[in-house]
Amino acid sequence: MSSPVTEFMTQVPHSVGHDMNLETAKDMMLKYSCHHLPVLDGGHLVGVLSDTDIRVAEKYKSNHDLRVEDIMTDEPVVVEPTTDVFQVAMLMHQKKIGSVIVSATPDSPWGIFTATDALHYFTQKGENS
């Protein structure tokens, strides 16, 4: 049984600007209890910032001078909204990434699908077996 990734993604997630101060982005993650934030420049997707990116940056440099664009992943993985959630989870596993961006269509807004969403899918599927 196939399930499109749109059924489990977060629609129109919180996002940050590429030139935002890293401390502000970190505060947003805490406020909204999220681990990944799409990064936008003029409304266009330019990257993804993860809590792991922030933790690594904090180890090597004072993050007071850093901007989101200094540490973000600048080539986020983007999938189509009709892609099967299992295929997306496999892709994330193969690439060792914690999130993918789900592209928008005229019928569906863009979103983000995370490892937490994948766990939700698999546990729900296990309960229904």
Side-chain angles (χ1 to χ4, degrees), residues 55-72:
R55 283 194 308 271
V56 169
E58 288 177 332
K59 287 183 181 182
Y60 296 105
K61 190 174 182 180
S62 168
N63 61 350
H64 297 291
D65 301 329
L66 290 176
R67 300 266 172 224
V68 167
E69 64 191 352
D70 296 327
I71 67 163
M72 70 181 189

Side-chain angles (χ1 to χ4, degrees), residues 75-129:
E75 293 184 16
V77 175
V78 179
V79 298
E80 293 297 318
T82 56
T83 308
D84 182 69
V85 68
F86 181 79
Q87 291 177 313
V88 175
M90 289 297 296
L91 176 67
M92 291 168 62
H93 174 70
Q94 290 166 352
K95 292 188 173 283
K96 296 180 178 19
I97 57 175
S99 67
V100 298
I101 301 299
V102 181
S103 62
T105 66
D107 299 328
S108 174
W110 71 285
I112 190 167
F113 181 82
T114 67
T116 301
D117 298 324
L119 288 171
H120 176 244
Y121 166 75
F122 287 111
T123 55
Q124 181 178 338
K125 185 175 176 134
E127 289 175 355
N128 295 333
S129 299

Side-chain angles (χ1 to χ4, degrees), residues 1-89:
M1 178 189 256
S2 175
S3 298
V5 69
T6 53
E7 291 182 16
F8 294 91
M9 72 177 191
T10 299
Q11 292 186 7
V12 193
H14 296 285
S15 60
V16 293
H18 70 100
D19 57 350
M20 182 180 282
N21 176 286
L22 193 58
E23 278 297 313
T24 304
K26 181 179 174 181
D27 291 343
M28 279 185 68
M29 283 185 179
L30 290 171
K31 179 179 179 179
Y32 297 116
S33 299
C34 62
H35 302 284
H36 301 87
L37 291 169
V39 181
L40 305 178
D41 181 2
H44 298 283
L45 179 69
V46 295
V48 173
L49 180 69
S50 73
D51 59 348
T52 302
D53 296 330
I54 292 172
R55 283 194 308 271
V56 169
E58 288 177 332
K59 287 183 181 182
Y60 296 105
K61 190 174 182 180
S62 168
N63 61 350
H64 297 291
D65 301 329
L66 290 176
R67 300 266 172 224
V68 167
E69 64 191 352
D70 296 327
I71 67 163
M72 70 181 189
T73 299
D74 59 2
E75 293 184 16
V77 175
V78 179
V79 298
E80 293 297 318
T82 56
T83 308
D84 182 69
V85 68
F86 181 79
Q87 291 177 313
V88 175

